[in-house]
Amino acid sequence: MSEKLAVATRGPPNLVLRKLDTSYSDLMNERWPHRYPNSEKYIRLLVQLNGGLGLFNAANDDLAGWVLKNEFAGVGHLQVMPDYRRAGLGEILAKAMTKRIAEEDDGPVNAFIVDKNAASIRLFLKLGYRRIDGSNWVRADYQE
C-alpha cells in the first residue's frame, strides 16, 4: 500500500502513506506518552503482529505520523510528529486505519482513547465514531 496524499492547506504537500515496519518501533515508543520500561517490545509486537500505517515525507522519508491496529483490533497509538502537526495528518491516518480494519475484520471498528485526550476524542467524533465508554491507563509495579 503506497499512495501519494496531498495535505490540504498547510503542511508538507508531498506525503506517502505506507505500511510501517518494526524499524520505527523505538521512535514510536519514545513519542508514546504512556511508555513504560520495556514498552518498546509492546510497540514492536503490535507493528509485527497487527500492522500499522505511517505517513512519510516523500522528499526526505521522515516519518510524519503513524497509527497502529492495537491488540483489540481497534485504532490506537495515533501520533503525529511535532513538525507536522496542525495539518490534518491525524485525520488522514485515522481514516486510513479505520478503513483498513473495517475491510480486514468485516465489522465495526473501535478506537481506544484515554479520557484525558480531548483532541483525539474530538477527531474520532468528527469521523463518525461515538463514545461508548471511558478508558484510562493503569499500571502496577510488581515487587517481591
Side-chain angles (χ1 to χ4, degrees):
M1 169 192 299
S2 183
E3 55 185 88
K4 290 197 177 194
L5 299 170
V7 177
T9 52
R10 293 177 287 159
N14 195 16
L15 296 174
V16 177
L17 179 68
R18 67 178 192 244
K19 290 181 182 179
L20 285 172
D21 62 56
T22 57
S23 67
Y24 296 96
S25 299
D26 289 339
L27 172 65
M28 290 186 287
N29 184 64
E30 287 170 20
R31 293 295 180 165
W32 187 35
H34 306 288
R35 70 185 168 276
Y36 52 88
N38 295 316
S39 60
E40 68 278 356
K41 293 176 184 176
Y42 164 71
I43 298 294
R44 187 172 293 108
L45 278 172
L46 279 182
V47 173
Q48 183 181 355
L49 299 173
N50 297 348
L53 298 171
L55 276 172
F56 294 84
N57 185 321
N60 58 18
D61 210 36
D62 278 350
L63 180 59
W66 59 88
V67 64
L68 303 180
K69 180 178 178 181
N70 70 16
E71 63 274 32
F72 303 107
V75 180
H77 303 279
L78 174 64
Q79 295 279 318
V80 176
M81 294 295 281
D83 289 348
Y84 294 92
R85 291 187 181 147
R86 316 280 321 149
L89 304 189
E91 183 173 342
I92 292 167
L93 288 162
K95 284 180 178 179
M97 184 56 78
T98 297
K99 180 179 180 192
R100 178 176 166 201
I101 292 171
E103 290 172 351
E104 286 178 356
D105 298 347
D106 194 30
V109 180
N110 296 304
F112 296 85
I113 304 168
V114 176
D115 284 338
K116 68 181 181 181
N117 191 340
S120 285
I121 291 169
R122 280 192 307 276
L123 169 63
F124 281 88
L125 289 173
K126 176 183 171 185
L127 297 178
Y129 282 76
R130 61 185 169 86
R131 191 174 187 151
I132 55 174
D133 208 347
S135 65
N136 289 287
W137 278 91
V138 295
R139 184 177 76 201
D141 291 321
Y142 177 76
Q143 295 180 11
E144 288 187 39

